[in-house]
């Protein structure tokens, strides 16, 4: 029998609609997906809609032009419409440097000779530095889908026992109406007033029947009258969102082994979390598929077998269908009830979305949906990442409370854009499987109050055959 998180008190406030969705963001002009009103079945459906066709038939594109989600995602998200502009197929500067002379496809970057290593940063811990980085990248004139994080309000809800209250609704009331968000495993929500047209404040913040006042830029703690934390085991849903285009081929081969190891190690963490793993793959318009989802499952062997079947192919131009993929990753899997489950998305990619293409659901809408549902997104950028991709990946992490992860290949080889502000003194380099397992373990440690859940880093091999003990 699975133990649910300790009792969560329903917020005593009126929400914007009967389904409890967030206020409509004016930046994108469409509303986030309503929260599910019933808990989905926990049984895995395997490949939703069937295993994808890994290769297009001959030189022909898919019959629908590669524009459709799987059947489940189409019902949940809606069909996608594209508008081709004059710059729709323009490569980024980084991609242009890596383009082959055979049809414009981006050549795979040279893979590392040893195990994958990575670093990570938390832009929410260094928010002023992040705002300065944003200003610098925006000043370069790079096209982005921007939601301004200025005036961010951080709210942490903790129980009477000092442990966080995860999965609890937090409402923000002000001149712009009510916005309802949900805490992540650390009991935290991050409210961005400009993204919700919420007005200048002050805001009445309510959680667990406790209300406080907050102004833009405030950090607020709400002490709830009930205990926080989690029982044992903690339900944990982890969805991998993988770019499966040709430029990722060499790294996908290595990531298969890495993620397989990660899956086993997460399953064996102290407390034996009730873990389910799934994945959403994506390519782009004109490929044999745009998105394909393998449902969340507790059968780690079945997940590993599905991962082993993944083939990287297609892609053509540099940007990929990340907009559609993030929408599918949130809508298609059978996520368990957020009030009882730690929910994480690991995005592994080397390219940005098709920023200049008109889509039904931009990634910024899906990002706000994740915030609304208490789902953290942890992007892992791979070699070939340029300034536009790094901006998008860090935006996803900052809004949802995740960390930005990037592959590292020694001095000067980290997978970030040329305009990055990340230097070698800003992060600790670890084997990628160590790093991902540690990030998951930190989520569990917050809830259990047990720091021993977080494993010490394993030494990573160095080129001379020694070990890095960071």
């Amino acid at each position: 029998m699975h133990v649910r998180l300790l009792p969560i008190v329903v917020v005593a406030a009126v929400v914007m609609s009967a389904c409890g969705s967030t206020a409509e963001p004016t930046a994108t002009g469409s509303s986030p997906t309503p929260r599910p009103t019933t808990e989905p079945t926990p049984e895995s459906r395997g490949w939703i809609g069937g295993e994808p066709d890994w290769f297009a038939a001959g030189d022909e594109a898919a019959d629908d032009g590669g524009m459709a989600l799987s059947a489940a995602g189409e019902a949940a998200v809606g069909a996608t419409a594209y508008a081709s502009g004059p710059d729709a197929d323009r490569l980024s500067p980084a991609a242009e440097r890596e383009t082959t002379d055979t049809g414009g496809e981006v050549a795979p970057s040279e893979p590392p000779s040893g195990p994958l290593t990575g670093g990570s940063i938390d832009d929410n811990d260094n928010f002023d530095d992040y705002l300065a980085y944003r200003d610098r990248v925006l000043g370069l004139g790079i096209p982005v889908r921007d939601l301004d994080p200025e005036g961010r309000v951080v709210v942490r809800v903790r129980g009477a026992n000092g442990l966080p209250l995860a999965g609890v609704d937090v409402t923000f009331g002000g001149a712009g109406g009510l916005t309802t968000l949900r805490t992540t495993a650390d009991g935290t929500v991050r409210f961005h007033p400009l993204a919700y047209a919420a007005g200048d404040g002050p805001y009445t913040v309510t959680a667990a029947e406790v209300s406080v006042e907050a102004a833009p830029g405030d950090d607020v703690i709400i002490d709830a009258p009930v205990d926080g934390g989690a029982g044992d085991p903690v339900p944990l849903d982890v969805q991998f969102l993988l770019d499966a285009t040709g430029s990722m081929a060499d790294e996908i081969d290595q990531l298969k082994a890495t993620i397989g190891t990660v899956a086993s190690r997460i399953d064996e963490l102290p407390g034996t979390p009730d873990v389910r793993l799934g994945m959403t793959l994506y390519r782009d318009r004109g490929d044999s598929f745009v998105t394909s989802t393998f449902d969340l499952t507790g059968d780690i062997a079945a997940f590993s077998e599905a991962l082993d079947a993944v083939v990287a192919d297609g892609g053509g131009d540099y940007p990929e269908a990340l907009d559609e993929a993030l929408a599918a990753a949130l809508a298609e899997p059978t996520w368990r009830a957020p009030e009882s489950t730690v929910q994480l998305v690991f995005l592994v990619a080397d390219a940005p979305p098709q920023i200049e293409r008109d889509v039904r659901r931009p990634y910024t809408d899906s990002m706000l949906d994740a915030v609304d549902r208490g789902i953290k997104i942890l992007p892992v950028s791979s070699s070939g990442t340029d300034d536009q991709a790094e901006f998008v990946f860090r935006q996803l992490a900052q809004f949802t409370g995740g960390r930005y992860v990037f592959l590292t290949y020694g001095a000067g080889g980290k997978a970030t854009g040329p305009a990055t502000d990340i230097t070698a003194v800003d992060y600790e380099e670890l084997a990628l499987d160590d790093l991902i397992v540690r990030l998951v373990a930190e989520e569990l440690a917050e809830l259990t109050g047990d720091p021993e859940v977080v494993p010490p880093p394993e030494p990573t091999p160095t080129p001379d055959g020694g070990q890095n003990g960071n």
Side-chain angles (χ1 to χ4, degrees):
M1 172 174 151
H2 299 159
V3 181
R4 299 174 67 86
L5 300 184
L6 295 178
I8 301 296
V9 180
V10 178
V11 175
V14 178
V15 295
M16 287 288 288
S17 65
C19 61
S21 63
T22 61
E24 181 175 325
T26 58
T28 56
S30 59
S31 302
T33 301
R35 292 178 177 176
T37 56
T38 58
E39 183 171 352
T41 174
E43 288 80 20
S44 173
R45 295 170 288 166
W47 287 108
I48 299 173
E51 184 172 340
D53 293 327
W54 300 113
F55 300 101
D59 294 329
E60 296 180 4
D63 291 341
D64 59 3
M67 293 166 60
L69 297 173
S70 67
E74 216 172 278
V77 179
T80 300
Y82 296 95
S84 299
D87 296 323
D89 296 325
R90 178 176 56 82
L91 299 181
S92 70
E96 286 174 352
R97 290 194 299 271
E98 293 187 286
T99 302
T100 69
D101 57 3
T102 57
E105 182 167 345
V106 179
S109 300
E110 186 68 23
S113 57
L116 294 179
T117 58
S120 73
I121 61 165
D122 188 341
D123 282 323
N124 281 298
D125 276 353
N126 302 284
F127 193 57
D128 288 341
D129 290 343
Y130 173 67
L131 294 179
Y133 158 77
R134 270 177 39 86
D135 288 343
R136 185 168 64 257
V137 174
L138 291 174
L140 298 175
I142 296 171
V144 298
R145 292 196 178 107
D146 191 28
L147 291 180
D148 194 339
E150 289 274 4
R152 178 202 64 171
V153 178
V154 180
V155 179
R156 180 177 176 86
V157 186
R158 63 188 181 190
N161 58 355
L163 295 177
L165 278 176
V168 65
D169 281 348
V170 181
T171 62
F172 297 82
L178 284 178
T179 301
T180 303
L181 309 179
R182 183 176 279 135
T183 58
T184 51
D186 57 1
T188 301
V189 295
R190 292 153 192 87
F191 173 61
H192 299 85
L194 296 179
Y196 297 97
D200 297 331
Y203 314 106
T204 300
V205 185
T206 304
E209 299 185 330
V210 177
S211 295
V212 298
E213 294 295 309
D218 280 355
D219 287 2
V220 175
I221 294 177
I222 292 181
D223 287 311
V226 296
D227 281 348
D232 184 8
V234 180
L236 170 67
D237 284 353
V238 179
Q239 186 76 2
F240 291 97
L241 180 55
L242 304 178
D243 177 347
T245 57
S247 65
M248 291 285 290
D250 291 322
E251 287 171 313
I252 283 257
D253 285 343
Q254 296 201 42
L255 287 167
K256 286 180 182 180
T258 300
I259 292 178
T261 302
V262 166
S264 299
R265 291 180 60 187
I266 290 174
D267 195 42
E268 296 168 1
L269 284 172
T272 316
D274 175 21
V275 62
R276 296 163 76 234
L277 302 175
M279 60 181 161
T280 296
L281 310 177
Y282 67 98
R283 290 179 179 171
D284 203 5
R285 177 181 182 180
D287 291 328
S288 60
F289 67 90
V290 174
T291 73
S292 184
T293 294
F294 187 85
D295 199 14
L296 287 157
T297 178
D299 187 339
I300 305 305
F303 170 81
S304 297
E305 182 179 351
L307 178 62
D308 284 343
V310 173
V311 175
D313 186 60
D317 64 349
Y318 179 58
E320 312 298 357
L322 178 54
D323 292 292
E324 297 90 334
L326 183 54
L330 297 179
E332 294 183 356
T334 51
W335 294 94
R336 287 177 289 188
E339 298 87 353
S340 63
T341 310
V342 177
Q343 300 180 331
L344 305 174
V345 172
F346 280 94
L347 163 64
V348 184
D350 64 355
Q354 295 278 6
I355 295 292
E356 296 175 293
R357 189 163 69 191
D358 186 23
V359 292
R360 172 64 178 259
R361 190 162 189 80
Y363 77 85
T364 43
D365 279 11
S366 296
M367 178 177 74
L368 294 181
D369 182 26
V371 176
D372 173 56
R373 293 165 56 181
I375 297 174
K376 281 189 180 180
I377 301 174
L378 299 100
V380 181
S381 68
S382 303
S383 59
T385 296
D386 70 355
D387 287 326
Q388 188 182 53
E390 181 181 346
F391 183 95
V392 171
F393 297 160
R394 290 175 71 171
Q395 183 184 30
L396 290 167
Q398 189 275 312
F399 263 77
T400 64
R403 294 181 69 92
Y404 170 54
V405 183
F406 44 90
L407 298 187
T408 55
Y409 309 120
K414 62 184 182 297
T416 52
T420 190
D421 62 338
I422 301 171
T423 67
V425 299
D426 296 326
Y427 62 92
E428 179 182 28
E429 185 177 62
L430 300 172
L432 184 61
D433 55 345
D434 281 343
L435 179 55
I436 292 177
V437 171
R438 177 183 284 193
L439 293 174
V440 172
E442 286 173 352
E443 297 292 310
L444 301 178
E446 289 275 1
L447 276 171
T448 62
D450 179 9
E452 301 213 356
V453 171
V454 181
E458 298 287 338
T460 56
T462 58
D464 61 2
Q467 291 183 328
N468 182 349
N470 280 349

